[in-house]
Amino acid sequence: QDFYNSYSKSYLIPNYGFVKESLLKSQILRFEDGEFKFGYNYIFYFLIAKYVSEIINDKKGKEIISDLFKNISEEKSANILVFITHHTKDVEFIEESLFSIIVPFDGTQLITLNRGGEFYNLIKDIATNITNDLIELNRKPEEEREEALKAMDENDRFSVKSKRDYEGKEMHEDDSYNEQVNQFLQAFRSIEVVGQIVKNRKGSLPKPKLIELVKEMYSLGFRIINFVGELFNQARVEIVGHMLNELDDSDSRLVIENRVATYFQMFSMKMCLSIFNKLVFSVGIKELKDLYKVVSEEIDSPAADLVTFSINSYYNEVSANDIKLLSQKYANNPVVFQLLRIKTRSYLYNNHVDHRKMQKIASYLKFNVSPKMIKNATRADS
């Protein structure tokens, strides 16, 4: 009522009862336990971001931005930052704060997926053993894209849950472990914020600056994968060592080692694809197709080629020849070839591709084309 009275002194507005009922009926606001509340968290994030963007160059605004980045692993802080990039073109201070977050990853190598690399060796066995060689003709692209977005939401929810599960001494006694989890989540969220800067300012930032931002996010994603891969490997060694101390039978020991190794390999490959997808949805946009190619050329690794292909195949049409060239380039790299097959299958299922083009692509990647739906087929890219 107070806000309404203040607002109506300066602006024309319908009567109070109509406004209140309209806001409640639309669920923009809700009334619970004697209080008015926002119906959706994103309205709260949007309005807070609007306020901060108006004072972003003031001392108070900079302090708020700094606090938001310190807590970027939290859903609220990350989303407010994303909305701030919608409200303001002045993102220099945001960029400075953002890149301070990724300093802990400077010592972590980027994965390349070159043959013989550490992460390559970690997922090699599981990647090369995937046997789903079919392309199904009757998939519906609209349904596939909806499922892909649901999978992305699940990944985000998993990240938030990880933050809650592992935060604080009461959840985990190892402070260094908590710090590692927090660093991962901060970096993961920061990709979203930079992605919004790229999308919102694609027409006002010079191309070299856009390339720099996208390249930084590619590199950060590859560092995250390596960072988490190292954590997985440490955990695998610890788990196997603990379990083997309880056993005397050599056959059982071998079974345990193999099962634990397979589990971590599968988890590592899914994590790799998850980070690739994060880059696709965060920094990907239709209009920057050529820019992503420049970025992958500058990084010059199979991993960068795969991310660029994933972005351009999601937001644009790719030619059969593009896929042919990549398949030839990585024919002797079984891990990259398999991941290329996974991403290409996703492209074929998410887009309306004519039969002749599909047949060409299938031949380049050694797929069989099936007219029937194969139930319970493995969908590794989800």
Side-chain angles (χ1 to χ4, degrees):
Q1 180 73 66
D2 289 342
F3 175 79
Y4 177 88
N5 292 339
S6 175
Y7 190 87
S8 62
K9 289 177 183 179
S10 302
Y11 301 96
L12 291 174
I13 188 172
N15 68 69
Y16 175 75
F18 177 82
V19 170
K20 185 180 74 170
E21 291 307 313
S22 296
L23 292 171
L24 290 171
K25 186 176 180 180
S26 67
Q27 298 185 37
I28 290 174
L29 295 181
R30 67 179 192 272
F31 189 73
E32 292 181 359
D33 302 324
E35 294 181 323
F36 285 101
K37 301 178 180 180
F38 289 108
Y40 302 92
N41 287 341
Y42 286 105
I43 297 175
F44 169 70
Y45 302 149
F46 179 90
L47 294 174
I48 292 294
K50 178 64 175 173
Y51 166 71
V52 174
S53 69
E54 293 171 352
I55 60 169
I56 197 168
N57 289 312
D58 298 342
K59 180 180 178 181
K60 183 178 180 181
K62 292 183 177 182
E63 289 174 351
I64 293 173
I65 292 288
S66 180
D67 287 340
L68 289 170
F69 271 104
K70 287 178 182 176
N71 298 289
I72 195 174
S73 56
E74 297 176 359
E75 181 182 14
K76 179 176 72 173
S77 297
N79 281 295
I80 291 172
L81 285 166
V82 166
F83 279 116
I84 287 173
T85 67
H86 281 284
H87 289 306
T88 181
K89 292 184 177 180
D90 184 4
V91 295
E92 287 187 9
F93 186 73
I94 293 178
E95 289 179 34
E96 292 173 8
S97 301
L98 183 67
F99 289 120
S100 68
I101 285 177
I102 66 179
V103 169
F105 291 88
D106 282 348
T108 304
Q109 294 294 315
L110 285 68
I111 65 155
T112 64
L113 296 183
N114 285 321
R115 287 175 64 100
E118 189 171 344
F119 191 80
Y120 173 95
N121 289 333
L122 178 63
I123 66 172
K124 177 179 65 176
D125 290 342
I126 202 73
T128 54
N129 285 331
I130 295 175
T131 57
N132 187 4
D133 293 328
L134 289 174
I135 294 293
E136 300 160 14
L137 290 176
N138 56 346
R139 292 292 187 106
K140 297 180 179 179
E142 293 77 14
E143 293 178 0
E144 294 295 325
R145 284 183 174 256
E146 184 177 349
E147 288 300 316
L149 292 172
K150 286 180 181 178
M152 184 178 68
D153 287 342
E154 283 298 320
N155 288 333
D156 284 346
R157 279 194 287 271
F158 174 77
S159 297
V160 173
K161 183 178 183 299
S162 297
K163 167 70 175 174
R164 292 169 180 163
D165 286 351
Y166 297 111
E167 190 175 35
K169 287 186 178 180
E170 70 279 8
M171 298 306 296
H172 202 284
E173 295 180 358
D174 188 346
D175 286 344
S176 64
Y177 182 81
N178 290 323
E179 181 62 24
Q180 288 173 326
V181 171
N182 194 55
Q183 288 173 356
F184 160 72
L185 292 169
Q186 286 181 326
F188 192 77
R189 291 292 194 186
S190 69
I191 292 175
E192 298 174 9
V193 178
V194 175
Q196 286 302 318
I197 293 174
V198 170
K199 291 177 179 180
N200 293 338
R201 300 202 57 203
K202 63 183 182 295
S204 58
L205 284 175
K207 286 183 180 180
K209 184 61 177 179
L210 287 171
I211 290 170
E212 176 192 345
L213 290 173
V214 174
K215 186 177 177 181
E216 285 286 348
M217 290 307 98
Y218 270 46
S219 299
L220 178 58
F222 300 154
R223 293 183 198 276
I224 291 174
I225 293 170
N226 210 5
F227 177 80
V228 178
E230 290 173 359
L231 291 182
F232 285 174
N233 204 37
Q234 292 171 13
R236 180 185 64 81
V237 172
E238 292 175 7
I239 290 171
V240 170
H242 176 74
M243 297 178 74
L244 294 186
N245 286 336
E246 306 296 322
L247 293 171
D248 294 323
D249 181 53
S250 59
D251 291 336
S252 298
R253 293 166 68 92
L254 183 60
V255 168
I256 287 175
E257 285 181 334
N258 289 337
R259 284 182 178 175
V260 173
T262 299
Y263 170 79
F264 277 99
Q265 287 169 15
M266 178 61 77
F267 208 85
S268 296
M269 193 178 78
K270 286 192 172 184
M271 180 271 299
C272 178
L273 288 166
S274 176
I275 299 298
F276 283 5
N277 286 341
K278 188 69 175 178
L279 290 168
V280 169
F281 290 108
S282 295
V283 304
I285 190 170
K286 183 181 181 70
E287 293 84 350
L288 301 182
K289 181 176 181 178
D290 293 335
L291 183 145
Y292 302 121
K293 291 182 179 179
V294 172
V295 170
S296 58
E297 287 170 1
E298 290 190 2
I299 295 177
D300 190 24
S301 73
D305 281 348
L306 280 170
V307 170
T308 290
F309 172 77
S310 299
I311 292 174
N312 286 335
S313 65
Y314 188 84
Y315 294 99
N316 298 282
E317 182 180 358
V318 296
S319 69
N321 192 57
D322 289 336
I323 295 172
K324 177 183 179 181
L325 292 175
L326 278 175
S327 67
Q328 291 174 339
K329 185 176 181 179
Y330 295 114
N332 295 321
N333 185 320
V335 168
V336 175
F337 191 82
Q338 189 64 268
L339 294 179
L340 177 62
R341 294 173 92 231
I342 290 171
K343 302 312 294 185
T344 301
R345 183 189 284 112
S346 178
Y347 167 70
L348 294 174
Y349 288 166
N350 281 282
N351 295 275
H352 294 283
V353 180
D354 69 69
H355 184 70
R356 182 176 296 179
K357 180 178 178 180
M358 186 178 290
Q359 288 283 8
K360 283 184 179 180
I361 292 172
S363 68
Y364 300 147
L365 294 173
K366 302 178 182 178
F367 279 127
N368 297 313
V369 178
S370 171
K372 297 181 179 180
M373 177 70 76
I374 307 298
K375 294 184 178 180
N376 301 320
T378 300
R379 298 172 67 181
D381 64 319
S382 65

